Amino acid sequence: MSKTLLYGATKIDETNSAYAPIESLAQFQWKNRVFILFADRDNSRAARQENQLLANRSALDERDLVVLKVSGACVRPLFGAADGLDGEAIRRDLDVPEVGEFAAFLLGKDGTVKLRASEPIIDGELFAIIDSMPMRAAESLKPDKLS
């Protein structure tokens, strides 16, 4: 199982493209975290990932998460609202493996990639990663979440 956690750097070099916001998903920056699932054909790993995430919609909502599925140039929101997204631009910006391969990415509210996975990630692990982020910790201290 291959996962690369890009969160946790003590010093971020903003000139490093690994920490640059993803332009094709700029509409979500500072509003939502985004989980992007790439699956171009019928893929049991993609179906498993989709089912795991959508089984806990209240946890997705609580974490301001938008879940997108990209197949070729088509982008379909699985949870949350998304308009006018270009699957090819997202694929290019995230440097996704070849068409047909499973890949999943988590973007933080700052628009940067926090996690890359080549295998499905269980929702508890995903939520633990999100909950360990400083912005999420600050959100959980607020008595009433602002919309």
Side-chain angles (χ1 to χ4, degrees):
M1 181 181 326
S2 176
K3 287 183 218 147
T4 304
L5 183 60
L6 298 174
Y7 173 74
T10 55
K11 181 178 179 189
I12 295 175
D13 175 4
E14 293 181 5
T15 62
N16 183 338
S17 64
Y19 299 107
I22 304 301
E23 284 300 315
S24 55
L25 297 167
Q27 67 180 280
F28 301 107
Q29 192 171 8
W30 305 118
K31 293 181 266 184
N32 297 98
R33 293 171 185 91
V34 183
F35 187 86
I36 306 123
L37 173 64
F38 291 89
D40 297 305
R41 19 182 137 112
D42 288 334
N43 183 314
S44 63
R45 294 182 297 169
R48 187 170 70 232
Q49 182 71 82
E50 190 174 328
N51 291 336
Q52 283 180 347
L53 287 174
L54 297 179
N56 201 344
R57 292 173 184 267
S58 63
L60 297 174
D61 188 48
E62 180 183 323
R63 289 165 179 84
D64 298 325
L65 204 61
V66 169
V67 180
L68 305 173
K69 184 174 185 178
V70 177
S71 297
C74 180
V75 181
R76 184 169 60 107
L78 299 177
F79 184 83
D83 294 317
L85 295 171
D86 178 354
E88 291 301 323
I90 294 169
R91 185 180 297 281
R92 190 174 45 254
D93 287 350
L94 291 173
D95 193 26
V96 177
E98 66 184 70
V99 172
E101 293 298 316
F102 173 90
F105 290 77
L106 172 66
L107 275 59
K109 284 189 174 182
D110 64 356
T112 64
V113 175
K114 306 300 183 185
L115 173 75
R116 295 173 189 253
S118 59
E119 293 293 330
I121 181 169
I122 58 171
D123 59 355
E125 188 176 353
L126 177 65
F127 297 150
I129 290 167
I130 293 170
D131 292 346
S132 71
M133 295 177 183
M135 193 175 293
R136 172 67 180 145
E139 291 168 358
S140 65
L141 295 176
K142 292 179 184 177
D144 191 21
K145 185 171 114 176
L146 301 174
S147 296

